[in-house]
Amino acid sequence: MKSISVKNVTKTYNERVTALNDVSLDIDEGRFIAVMGRSGSGKSTLLQMAGLLDSPTKGSVIINGEDVSSLGKNQLAQIRMKTIGFVFQAFHLNPQLKAYENVMLPMLINPEYKTKADIQKRANELIDMVGLSHRAGHYPNELSGGEQQRVAIARALANDPDFILADEPTGNLDSDNEQAIFGILKSLAESGKGVMTVSHNEAITEIADKIYYMSDGVLGENKK
Ligand code: ADP
Ligand code: MG
């Protein structure tokens, strides 16, 4: 089974702030898990550990059976590119590029995609999948927040990752768009991807398969 396994991870910043304290959690394929908790509780730090964006002070992260602790920067970047898609609160689209061009970007650095025509075709399919084919040629500033986040999800899917990690993906959205984005993330889990969403939004408790609560760097589980 595909999974990201965070094992007994502690993360200390500047040898003073313990952002994560002996945290363990699995992100398994086909599951939608949510991590809730107040601002400053360590949610983003956990997402960065699971997504190989930063390394633990103690403990390990195992991706599809491989302990990544001893890998260098380039190897980590390769694993990230192939196995993990990220979605952030602030969308982070390139304002100079049209929606479908934003989705093309991650594929342009992936040697598995050979021609630009293939890449463009796949980008448009992904845009279609998130329900935005009528906006494919628009620039980010011509799109609503909800539409921009859909483009960002399409972009996260570009290299067909096993996992999607989303950090407060609905933090800038109204409740209708929030439902739509959670719905897309849920359907990605149903299609087999492992999805972790970090949020302090209660609406996610309705839709996630499992909820964790983070408090002062310590992770707890609920009964769902
Ligand atoms: P959350 O996402 O739940 O708001 P974070 O993971 O961003 O929480 O932060 C957890 C704690 O770690 C906070 O006390 C925060 O100030 C601290 N922190 C986060 N990132 C850094 C950093 N790069 N350097 C120093 N402290 C940090
Ligand atoms: Mg955060």
Side-chain angles (χ1 to χ4, degrees), residues 2 64 77-86 102-115 118-120 122-123 126 129 151-164 193:
K2 290 183 171 165
N64 295 337
Q78 286 293 318
I79 295 177
R80 264 201 314 272
M81 179 182 80
K82 291 186 179 150
T83 57
I84 306 170
F86 294 93
N102 268 284
V103 179
M104 288 174 70
L105 271 188
M107 293 186 267
L108 294 171
I109 55 162
N110 183 347
E112 278 170 34
Y113 294 102
K114 299 289 184 245
T115 72
D118 285 347
I119 290 172
Q120 186 164 341
R122 179 165 166 75
L126 289 167
M129 212 181 94
V151 175
I153 291 174
R155 179 183 57 186
L157 292 168
N159 288 326
D160 194 22
D162 299 326
F163 308 99
I164 296 287
K193 298 197 187 294

Side-chain angles (χ1 to χ4, degrees), residues 1 6 19 40 50 52-53 55 83 92 124 131 149 156 164 193 221:
M1 178 165 68
V6 173
L52 314 184
L53 293 168
S55 51
T83 57
H92 295 310
N124 280 304
Q149 194 60 301
I164 296 287
K193 298 197 187 294
E221 244 174 80

Side-chain angles (χ1 to χ4, degrees), residues 30-96:
R31 300 267 291 160
F32 184 7
I33 67 171
V35 177
M36 301 192 65
R38 290 192 179 173
S39 183
S41 60
K43 303 181 301 298
S44 294
T45 302
L46 173 60
L47 186 134
Q48 283 160 19
M49 299 296 123
L52 314 184
L53 293 168
D54 196 358
S55 51
T57 308
K58 264 195 238 163
S60 52
V61 178
I62 294 154
I63 303 228
N64 295 337
E66 182 180 17
D67 187 337
V68 302
S69 305
S70 60
L71 301 182
K73 267 197 168 152
N74 291 340
Q75 287 167 305
L76 291 174
Q78 286 293 318
I79 295 177
R80 264 201 314 272
M81 179 182 80
K82 291 186 179 150
T83 57
I84 306 170
F86 294 93
V87 178
F88 296 102
Q89 176 170 358
F91 322 133
H92 295 310
L93 299 177
N94 183 326
Q96 322 272 17

Side-chain angles (χ1 to χ4, degrees), residues 157-211:
L157 292 168
N159 288 326
D160 194 22
D162 299 326
F163 308 99
I164 296 287
L165 305 184
D167 195 347
E168 308 269 6
T170 64
N172 287 338
L173 304 178
D174 61 35
S175 62
D176 283 351
N177 277 302
E178 175 186 288
Q179 287 301 328
I181 295 298
F182 286 156
I184 292 172
L185 293 170
K186 174 86 173 174
S187 69
L188 291 173
E190 285 166 353
S191 79
K193 298 197 187 294
V195 180
M196 176 172 86
T197 298
V198 157
S199 179
H200 50 229
N201 190 322
E202 284 289 331
I204 198 146
T205 59
E206 301 293 317
I207 199 166
D209 296 318
K210 188 162 186 175
I211 319 289

